[in-house]
Amino acid sequence: MKEINYTIDNINHKVLINNDIIANILKDILNLKSDRKILFIYDKNINNQLIKNLNEELKTTGCKIFSIKVKGGRENKNTKFLFKIIDILSENQFTKKSIIISFGGGVVGDVCGLISSLYMRGLIYFHVPSTMMAIMDSCLGGKNAINYKNRINLLGTYYHPLRVYISAEVINQIPDKEFFSGFSEAIKCGIIYDNKILKLLKEKENSIIKRKYKDIELLIYMVLKTKLNFFIDDIRENNKRLMLNFGHTFAHAIESTGDLFFKNFDTNHGQAVAVGILCEMMYAKVNNNFIEEIKSLFIKYNLPVVIDLKKKKFLINFQKKVFENLYLDKKKISRYPRYIHIEKQGKPKIGFLKNNNLIEKILLKSII
């Protein structure tokens, strides 16, 4: 078992990475001073037996349990979903001492974290991430948000789960596409900070792909410790934490455009981040050997190196709209969009996308 402990505003937070999340959740609930009300929110795509087991065990705590099955996915990262859950909390007289337990991917975690921060200005929040992207990224750091008016994460807060629980049982149930999409975040952390992550991904490729828990557990621990290093002294993203956005300026523009053009855009967040990372490396004119090394890693972990549009008739307009959406990025604080400029491994810095001709050339190469 591995643990990550950190303190924010004199509150101790913990990430538990082991094989028995249910026992740990029950222990934490019984040790808390709560009002014995729990709202358990879970993604309908999670293995039914896992949900049944956790639901039954929660009942043994003597708490009053309210269970809600929801659909994850970007289409539910909105005000409708947000207020639906807040109404349930209000109607059942939840208090600041009540508990929300969310079991889902990035969308479920983002919205439940936001709800936990808003309802009565904050209640007790536990999170069980169910996708590799959520495990490698969004479960740690306290960034919560919903999309609004086709702007990604436009409305949000910083609010940290009291506990995060990660286990082999959950990881083994993740579908392949969702499993591999999380590795774009691992590779990102290896590029901006810890070269040992890239070495581990290369040396243990076969065992990680086969989901051998010992190596995956170590990888998750290294990635989340990297995240912690960047945000612990910069919770509200004024400087150092911004480096974790590497690849996301282009990725968010791609996602926003995909959602506009297609009812069900088949590129998920992790895949968009992979392409976004390569776009930002090309813009920074990184050494081509390093770019090819990262491309090779993406390919090994079943991640795309370009956005391959199935409907080519949308290609030119899609590329143009991605360009426009770059300028709507929420990180933009001046005339030009911000991005993370990296010339070599471990040396990220804030940069600005000023060269429109270069952006257009990159989009022509990256969206085909």
Side-chain angles (χ1 to χ4, degrees), residues 171-208:
I171 290 169
N172 288 333
Q173 299 289 337
I174 299 172
D176 282 348
K177 182 177 178 179
E178 293 298 331
F179 175 73
F180 288 113
S181 71
F183 288 92
S184 60
E185 287 294 329
I187 293 165
K188 177 195 80 176
C189 288
I191 296 170
I192 65 173
Y193 183 68
D194 191 350
N195 192 46
K196 291 178 184 176
I197 292 173
L198 299 180
K199 288 181 180 178
L200 180 65
L201 286 165
K202 292 171 188 174
E203 292 171 2
K204 299 292 184 178
E205 175 193 344
N206 291 332
S207 65
I208 290 172

Side-chain angles (χ1 to χ4, degrees), residues 189-195 230 290 342-348:
C189 288
I191 296 170
I192 65 173
Y193 183 68
D194 191 350
N195 192 46
F230 279 100
F290 190 25
I342 187 160
E343 292 179 9
K344 58 183 180 179
Q345 191 276 327
K347 299 291 183 183

Side-chain angles (χ1 to χ4, degrees), residues 17-31:
I17 311 169
N18 68 7
N19 285 318
D20 196 351
I21 58 171
I22 291 178
N24 284 306
I25 290 172
L26 297 184
K27 179 182 175 183
D28 287 333
I29 288 170
L30 293 171
N31 286 336

Side-chain angles (χ1 to χ4, degrees), residues 308-324:
D308 188 359
L309 288 186
K310 301 297 184 284
K311 296 183 178 179
K312 301 299 182 187
K313 64 181 180 179
F314 294 132
L315 182 59
I316 294 173
N317 287 334
F318 193 97
Q319 291 165 338
K320 287 180 179 177
K321 192 63 181 177
V322 171
F323 182 91
E324 290 175 19

Side-chain angles (χ1 to χ4, degrees), residues 79-321:
T79 53
K80 183 179 178 181
F81 183 26
L82 177 82
F83 286 109
K84 175 184 175 181
I85 305 302
I86 288 176
D87 285 345
I88 291 168
L89 293 171
S90 178
E91 289 162 8
N92 291 285
Q93 299 181 332
F94 275 63
T95 72
K96 288 177 69 70
K97 292 295 183 181
S98 301
I99 303 168
I100 287 182
I101 301 174
S102 64
F103 194 164
V107 169
V108 172
D110 271 11
V111 181
C112 290
L114 183 57
I115 292 163
S116 299
S117 72
L118 294 175
Y119 186 78
M120 294 192 171
R121 297 196 181 105
L123 46 64
I124 301 165
Y125 179 43
F126 292 171
H127 181 47
V128 185
S130 68
T131 65
M132 211 61 183
M133 196 69 185
I135 288 169
M136 293 282 197
D137 180 35
S138 61
C139 75
L140 184 70
K143 288 172 71 172
N144 314 291
I146 57 171
N147 302 335
Y148 190 64
K149 304 242 183 224
N150 200 45
R151 302 277 296 277
I152 289 179
N153 297 331
L154 188 67
L155 306 176
T157 62
Y158 295 93
Y159 193 76
H160 301 260
L162 192 65
R163 296 287 183 269
V164 174
Y165 307 92
I166 297 168
S167 82
E169 189 177 16
V170 173
I171 290 169
N172 288 333
Q173 299 289 337
I174 299 172
D176 282 348
K177 182 177 178 179
E178 293 298 331
F179 175 73
F180 288 113
S181 71
F183 288 92
S184 60
E185 287 294 329
I187 293 165
K188 177 195 80 176
C189 288
I191 296 170
I192 65 173
Y193 183 68
D194 191 350
N195 192 46
K196 291 178 184 176
I197 292 173
L198 299 180
K199 288 181 180 178
L200 180 65
L201 286 165
K202 292 171 188 174
E203 292 171 2
K204 299 292 184 178
E205 175 193 344
N206 291 332
S207 65
I208 290 172
I209 287 174
K210 291 177 181 177
R211 309 196 195 198
K212 301 294 184 184
Y213 187 65
K214 182 180 176 183
D215 292 319
I216 289 180
E217 181 186 63
L218 176 59
L219 178 65
I220 293 166
Y221 179 77
M222 292 169 69
V223 169
L224 293 183
K225 286 288 283 185
T226 295
K227 278 206 71 176
L228 184 64
N229 172 75
F230 279 100
F231 81 73
I232 194 62
D233 296 319
D234 184 23
I235 298 297
R236 296 188 174 274
E237 229 172 354
N238 294 311
N239 189 359
K240 190 175 181 181
R241 183 170 184 165
L242 287 166
M243 306 309 154
L244 292 170
N245 289 314
F246 178 51
H248 285 62
T249 299
F250 277 87
H252 284 164
I254 290 166
E255 289 177 273
S256 295
T257 305
D259 289 342
L260 274 177
F261 275 72
F262 304 107
K263 186 175 181 180
N264 294 301
F265 187 44
D266 64 359
T267 298
N268 64 29
H269 180 61
Q271 294 171 326
V273 168
V275 176
I277 284 170
L278 294 173
C279 288
E280 293 186 22
M281 291 179 81
M282 285 188 279
Y283 187 87
K285 299 181 180 177
V286 172
N287 178 282
N288 195 56
N289 290 336
F290 190 25
I291 291 177
E292 291 303 315
E293 177 189 343
I294 299 306
K295 273 188 182 179
S296 175
L297 263 181
F298 283 146
I299 291 167
K300 285 178 180 177
Y301 284 92
N302 294 313
L303 285 161
V305 295
V306 295
I307 300 296
D308 188 359
L309 288 186
K310 301 297 184 284
K311 296 183 178 179
K312 301 299 182 187
K313 64 181 180 179
F314 294 132
L315 182 59
I316 294 173
N317 287 334
F318 193 97
Q319 291 165 338
K320 287 180 179 177
K321 192 63 181 177

